Amino acid sequence: EALRAERDAPGEASGRAVGDARERLLRWDVAPEDLAEMERLERPLLELPIRARQDGILAPGEAPRSGRYVEEGEILFTIQDLSQVFVTAHLFEGDLSAATPGAGVEIRSSALPGRVLAGTVFLVGSFVDGATRTVEVISEIPNPDGLLKIGMYVDVVLRETVHGLHPGAGEVAGNGGTRGAGTFCFLR
């Protein structure tokens, strides 16, 4: 639109049209480098990249198909930031005093021999599961190297009291809507 206005009627009016069109494209999150490329080519781009506002990976099973039509407001995919993950472990009701927000935890996985990832208890659940007699304990774990993967099994141990958490394997699984941009690691 702006390029056409500038070509058809050079001058002050076309300058305003170019500025208005540029402003609209920027509001639609068209990247400045894509605008510069359109101006350089003096035509719209046939394919316009959609850039994410954050780093991360696509949630499993959500890769969009090329060429498909989408509706306004439709969520095409979810980007998950795995640099910080959440681990949900199950603590026996008799050991609840061992887990308090801020307490240290260690994460180990057979997929990462010799590696121990440290974190802290973020939240202690509010109810006891009647079938297992356990309470969920959610811990926050820094994962800057991306060592913990979705679907991976892990073991969790409270640093202050080794007997506090029920030993067992867990599974790293994405949830798509966590505090911040994290992912839960469910432990069963």
Side-chain angles (χ1 to χ4, degrees):
E1 174 183 323
L3 295 170
R4 190 177 327 113
E6 186 174 310
R7 197 172 41 241
D8 295 344
E12 186 180 325
S14 71
R16 277 195 308 273
V18 169
D20 292 347
R22 174 181 281 281
E23 184 63 34
R24 276 194 302 279
L25 289 171
L26 287 171
R27 273 188 263 140
W28 291 337
D29 289 330
V30 173
E33 57 266 29
D34 294 328
L35 285 174
E37 181 67 5
M38 285 185 242
E39 289 171 347
R40 187 185 71 74
L41 296 172
E42 295 186 353
R43 65 173 173 76
L45 297 176
L46 296 176
E47 293 182 2
L48 188 63
I50 299 173
R51 291 179 171 77
R53 294 180 184 171
Q54 70 183 52
D55 289 337
I57 63 168
L58 289 182
E62 291 193 24
R65 286 188 347 257
S66 177
R68 91 173 173 85
Y69 289 98
V70 296
E71 297 292 326
E72 181 180 340
E74 180 181 349
I75 296 174
L76 300 178
F77 47 83
T78 303
I79 298 174
Q80 295 180 327
D81 176 6
L82 298 180
S83 64
Q84 187 89 352
V85 296
F86 292 91
V87 174
T88 302
H90 297 271
L91 181 72
F92 286 115
E93 63 182 298
D95 296 323
L96 280 177
S97 63
T100 57
V105 295
E106 294 179 349
I107 305 298
R108 293 182 175 84
S109 171
S110 60
L112 305 169
R115 297 291 304 254
V116 177
L117 301 173
T120 57
V121 172
F122 174 71
L123 178 71
V124 178
S126 300
F127 64 93
V128 175
D129 181 304
T132 63
R133 305 309 303 166
T134 61
V135 174
E136 286 189 346
V137 176
I138 300 174
S139 300
E140 195 169 18
I141 312 298
N143 189 33
D145 298 326
L147 296 174
L148 293 174
K149 310 285 187 207
I150 294 173
M152 179 183 285
Y153 287 93
V154 297
D155 294 311
V156 178
V157 176
L158 279 174
R159 277 190 269 174
E160 285 74 14
T161 55
V162 175
H163 72 282
L165 285 175
H166 171 62
E171 179 182 351
V172 178
N175 80 337
T178 61
R179 174 182 166 267
T183 298
F184 281 109
C185 303
F186 294 101
L187 292 151
R188 296 184 175 103

